[in-house]
Each structure stands twice: as C-alpha cells, then as structure tokens.
Amino acid sequence: MLYPAIDVRCAADDLLYAALDDHSPTAIEERSNSVRVFFGTAEARDAAARVIGEQFPVSPIDVPDEDWARRSQLNLQPIAVGRILIVPRPEFPSPPVPDQITIVIQPSMGFGTGHHATTRMCLEGMQATSLRGKVVLDVGTGSGVLAIAAARLGAARAIGLDVDLDAIQSARENLTLNPEASGVSFELVDVRAMPLPVSDLVVANLTGALLVRAAPALLAAVAPGGRLLVSGVLKDERADVVRALRGATVEWERSEDEWTALAVKKR
Ligand code: SAH
C-alpha cells in the first residue's frame, strides 16, 4: 500500500498549515528539515503539489508505510489523561478546562506522543499519587513526555534518561516548547550501565525483558518509601517482571490491549 504525499522543504509554519487547509490533508508529519503531508488520493496530492508548490519547494512522494499514516493521523489529535492534555503544537487550541495541564509534544520527535497505551498508563499512574516537591526519574524518556508531565504535576526535579541521542535531542526540544516545566533535565544514559540517581518516583516505560534485567538497578534508584512505575509490559511478561521486582509491593495496576503497567512501593 502506497500513500500519496508531498515533502515540503520548510519548517512547519502557520502559512503552510493555512495553505494546506484548503487541500484536506489526511495527516501531517513534521520532520527535521521538511514537512510531509499525506492525502487521500493521488489526484488530491497532485492538486495540492501544484498550488503549495507556488509558495514552497515541494516534492511528490509515495510512502509505502501503512501504519505510518494511521499514526500520524492520530498524532494530529490531542490526548487527555486525567489532568494532562497533550497537544501536538504550541498553537494547538486546547479547551479551557479548569485544572487542566497542557503539554506540547511534537509528534515526529521520539517515541511518546501519548498515543500509545503504555505511555497513557504511565501518565495515569503518575497522577495516582501527589508528585508535589518530589524527584522523578524517567528511564527511557523518548520524547521527554513523562519527565515534562512530572514537572507540570509539581515535581521539584525530573530527570529523563535515554540511550538514544536522537531521543535526548527531541526531549530537549520538546522541553523548550514547555516553558512552564521547570527543573527538568535530560541525559544520555544506558539504564544497564550505571547506578541511577535516587528518586521518589522512578518511571520506566521500556520492555518486559529490559525491565526484568534492569529491575535491581531500577529498585536501587527508588528512595525508601518511594515508588517504581513500570510500563511496556506485555500481559505474558507480567509474572516475570513482578518476580524480578521482588521485595516491592504492587500498589497500582492497569491493563490496556495487550499491555500492563504497574506501580510497586519499595519497603
Ligand atoms: N517514556 C516515553 C518513551 C518510552 S519508549 C513514553 O512513555 O512514551 C522507550 C524508550 O526507552 C526509547 O526512547 C528508548 O530509546 C529507551 N531505551 C531503550 N533501551 C534503553 C536503555 N537500555 N537505557 C535507557 N533508555 C533505553
């Protein structure tokens, strides 16, 4: 399956979005030096390419990734979890809901736009207890969404770690779009290689296998009386992860689709 699209070589800007509005794009992906815009038909794409091409450098392209267009369509939608609303762009209009916290996460940058069940369950688990004044460690921060959310939920410090330099760069960029999130920093760190900074809440949205391996390091990073919130666990992996987290009591748990997230309290 091929998706008709155009690559517009420019930074995403209002002028472009306004011009695109007339052509009913089905999805928009903001890339590092261009904006990729998908259309329902090749005819719609060709018409848009002609008109947009008068204002911007445009190349038509057929994108062979079915899942991609679906995800980028989703990425245009804001996501609400409890008090948190994640929007894809700073200028995205968010409904005025009392007590709501709006966070900007650019869809194209790093994993973690809030559209994945594992991320949403973390955002829910992070709101199950107060983070006010707490230190939060986000292991495998991706887009930085959970660290930024922690700061907006009142954490005094939030540290996001990732093994992927692109993720760290995108997390830092997302942080600049969220000036109200203070006390947040991002570092290039492999969870398997280092003792982690001790924190009141450690969040780790990884994989079941990595959580099993990293369990001792993750638990060691939890301050006495603190919590570890893990996600990215397939239902089949739950028992192994709980076994690896021995010494801690499961306090909170959610499942969505094939995924499970759980929070344990350190004795
Ligand atoms: N926290 C975000 C992203 C989760 S995706 C969210 O909840 O949506 C998992 C992230 O873990 C990826 O960005 C990946 O680069 C990172 N990761 C994978 N292995 C890692 C490791 N060994 N150490 C640190 N980060 C790791």
Side-chain angles (χ1 to χ4, degrees), residues 110-116 118-120 122-123 138-147 161-168 187-193 196 203-207 210 213-214 231:
F111 183 92
T113 52
H115 294 85
H116 202 267
T118 60
T119 309
R120 285 197 301 272
C122 287
L123 290 167
D138 171 18
V139 181
T141 195
S143 65
V145 57
L146 301 180
L161 310 179
D162 208 290
V163 72
D164 177 2
L165 182 59
D166 286 344
I168 292 298
E187 287 169 51
L188 190 63
V189 169
D190 188 327
V191 63
R192 293 163 301 188
L196 304 169
V203 191
N205 183 8
L206 300 167
T207 62
L210 184 53
R213 240 178 310 149
S231 187

Side-chain angles (χ1 to χ4, degrees), residues 5-34:
I6 53 173
D7 277 341
V8 187
R9 282 181 309 285
C10 76
D13 73 0
D14 291 341
L15 216 63
L16 174 61
Y17 284 116
L20 285 171
D21 256 351
D22 296 332
H23 297 280
S24 318
T26 55
I28 301 180
E29 178 194 8
E30 297 177 9
R31 301 159 74 85
S32 47
N33 296 314
S34 64

Side-chain angles (χ1 to χ4, degrees), residues 200-222:
D200 303 301
L201 173 68
V202 177
V203 191
N205 183 8
L206 300 167
T207 62
L210 184 53
L211 288 168
V212 167
R213 240 178 310 149
L218 292 170
L219 278 176
V222 180

Side-chain angles (χ1 to χ4, degrees), residues 100-187:
Q100 193 173 56
I101 297 167
T102 301
I103 296 173
V104 183
I105 298 294
Q106 293 188 346
S108 58
M109 301 170 66
F111 183 92
T113 52
H115 294 85
H116 202 267
T118 60
T119 309
R120 285 197 301 272
M121 290 190 289
C122 287
L123 290 167
E124 190 185 339
M126 288 167 64
Q127 294 174 76
T129 57
S130 170
L131 295 185
R132 190 140 303 277
K134 300 280 172 66
V135 177
V136 176
L137 183 67
D138 171 18
V139 181
T141 195
S143 65
V145 57
L146 301 180
I148 292 169
R152 295 298 313 280
L153 288 167
R157 279 281 287 128
I159 305 156
L161 310 179
D162 208 290
V163 72
D164 177 2
L165 182 59
D166 286 344
I168 292 298
Q169 281 168 350
S170 73
R172 287 182 178 147
E173 226 165 292
N174 278 322
L175 182 58
T176 66
L177 300 175
N178 293 274
E180 285 155 300
S182 57
V184 183
S185 59
F186 295 106
E187 287 169 51

